[in-house]
Amino acid sequence: MMELSKPARATCTLLRLFWWESDRSVRAEAVLRLAAVVSVLLFRGKAGVWLSTIRRQQTQELLRREASSRSVLRYLGALVLLSPVSKIYWRLLRGLRLQWERHLTQHFLVRFLDAQCLGQRFGRPEQEECGSRHPDQRIAADVGKFVQLATSLSLDSLQAGIDLYFYSALLRGISPALSKTALLAAAAGTLVVRFLGRNLPALYGAERFADGNFTYVLTRMRENAESIAFYGGQQHEVKLASDALDLRQNTEWVRLAEKDVVQHFSDQYRQILSLSPALLLVQSSAAGASVDAAVLAQASEAFDIVTRRLMILSENWSDFSRLNTVALELYAYHLEQSNLDSSEGGICLSPLQADYGHVGQTWLSLEDLSLWAGDRILVSSLSFAAPSEGGLLITGQSGSGKTTLLRAIAGLLRGQGGNGHVRRDMAPGHVLFLSQRPYMTLGTLREQLSYPFGFAAGVDDAALCGILKRLGLDHIVLQSKGSLDVVSRWDEILSLGEQQRLSVARILAQRPMYAVLDEITSANDPQHEANMYSCIALTCSAFLSVGHRASLEAFHSRRLRLLGTDGRWELETLS
């Protein structure tokens, strides 16, 4: 059995995600939409031949001066009645595209964050076809582009087949020689276009790579603008962006040059072919006999349509090249997402068993957990159970694996960078993770405090204002004129220390049973640090935190030290 090429395999896989693997109701709706589109295509093909025949008869009557106002009105009426057909077709097609694009986008969004976390942590090299396009670019732009190209090219090909069926019969009825000429001319033109545009797929891939790289450089500049300004590195960064822009424009210039050559040949070739009907019909007519102008007009129209439809591949060679490239990129990303949990072994995250130890004994246990980064072992055979009350402090030199251990506890290292078993309380809202650089969601101040679990019972606006005041953030409410519903870009207007205190305010507002904290006081002074940990200790039954400062020991009862040598570690009780 012949194996499909890589672009064809990628396209078929993406088609199957919607047309075969979606829910039955989604497939049923899509099939009905497609059936309606195909019905309109069939009607358009038949109506086109019918109009061509009426136009021929009308022309012949005009030439013989036999045309009546009734026949003219009948022809104009047919045109008016058939004019909405194309609009109906595009309306139906848009509906099908939107449904397909929505389903495919949701498919990628399901595992978007997981793929991003693993990709950022381990820097997995993307496949060659992916270039430097990032997942957000693929989901935001490439899914829609793939759906648009796939529907347009497939339905254009279907329309070409329908038109060939109707117009080939019409053309053979006028002149069999003209029909054969159209077939041979289309085959020859397709071969030439295929040769002239042989590099277009690779050139389009290079252009997308350069475009993704330019976007990445600009994004880096925006995200690190302040640091760049502190270093005085504006000139260097502008040069990098200019180089990326030059690369993008050069690749686009080269691709468009080859596309122009292909398009120029196609245009000139069709103009030359347009002379064929007149030449063949005149030569095939009896000596001295005139050629019916109406027949010639109809033959020219049918010949043009047949050659265009036979040359569907060459007419759309650039779009087929784009479809191949986009399909390969989306397929590669689909494989990345599909392989997130496919690795054997790895770190297994699961909820605590009901009969695990004694009731209330632990909320987190690690069993034979090992972590590594490349060839370097960070943690080896770590096993312990965190107490159900009090704090556990994780310390160690920079690079010893503290944050990596928290990622394993959070479940972000599945199948990657380690093995062993992590069991913890996984009930919704029971464990809140706070990072060193807190995530500030879009929206109001109230939504910042309620992210992600929502407010605990009895927490009203007065309580929220009291929480903010307790953490030294009451000035935010004052600046907002006492309102908690002011929308702002909080990650830009708040300092990192204020953001860290706001993340602790979430603990007081949501009251989780446990908390996992990654250096959440690093940007705060000792006074604020003591206040933050006092709030956590009074709110949570138990918590686990990473930190460097010796002052943190006062808020924890046990300490796990990562020694940074061959994965060794020590667990001790703090006085």
Side-chain angles (χ1 to χ4, degrees), residues 104-218:
L104 199 56
T105 299
Q106 289 177 336
H107 165 79
F108 286 117
L109 285 176
V110 169
R111 305 302 302 274
F112 174 71
L113 287 177
D114 287 342
Q116 277 290 89
C117 290
L118 292 176
Q120 291 174 355
R121 174 68 183 90
F122 296 97
R124 294 192 310 274
E126 297 182 344
Q127 298 186 23
E128 182 180 353
E129 297 87 356
C130 298
S132 58
R133 304 283 289 184
H134 293 277
D136 51 346
Q137 291 174 288
R138 297 178 196 163
I139 293 176
D142 291 354
V143 170
K145 188 173 297 183
F146 169 79
V147 171
Q148 186 268 327
L149 289 170
T151 52
S152 295
L153 293 175
S154 59
L155 292 176
D156 284 352
S157 299
L158 178 59
Q159 182 72 79
I162 293 171
D163 289 346
L164 279 174
Y165 174 78
F166 289 117
Y167 281 95
S168 294
L170 177 63
L171 192 60
R172 282 196 303 271
I174 297 174
S175 171
L178 198 56
S179 178
K180 294 179 182 178
T181 301
L183 178 61
L184 294 175
T190 299
L191 290 175
V192 175
V193 167
R194 176 67 181 87
F195 174 76
L196 294 176
R198 62 191 182 279
N199 295 323
L200 276 178
L203 292 174
Y204 186 65
E207 181 184 341
R208 287 174 60 82
F209 180 94
D211 180 67
N213 184 60
F214 179 62
T215 302
Y216 175 72
V217 171
L218 293 182

Side-chain angles (χ1 to χ4, degrees), residues 10-28:
T11 303
C12 290
T13 299
L14 295 173
L15 292 174
R16 190 171 64 247
L17 291 175
F18 176 62
W19 292 102
W20 185 254
E21 298 179 4
S22 59
D23 294 338
R24 181 175 298 179
S25 59
V26 174
R27 292 201 305 272

Side-chain angles (χ1 to χ4, degrees), residues 337-355:
Q337 291 191 331
S338 301
N339 293 333
L340 288 179
D341 298 320
S342 62
S343 302
E344 296 183 1
I347 300 171
C348 179
L349 174 67
S350 62
L352 291 166
Q353 302 298 322
D355 58 350

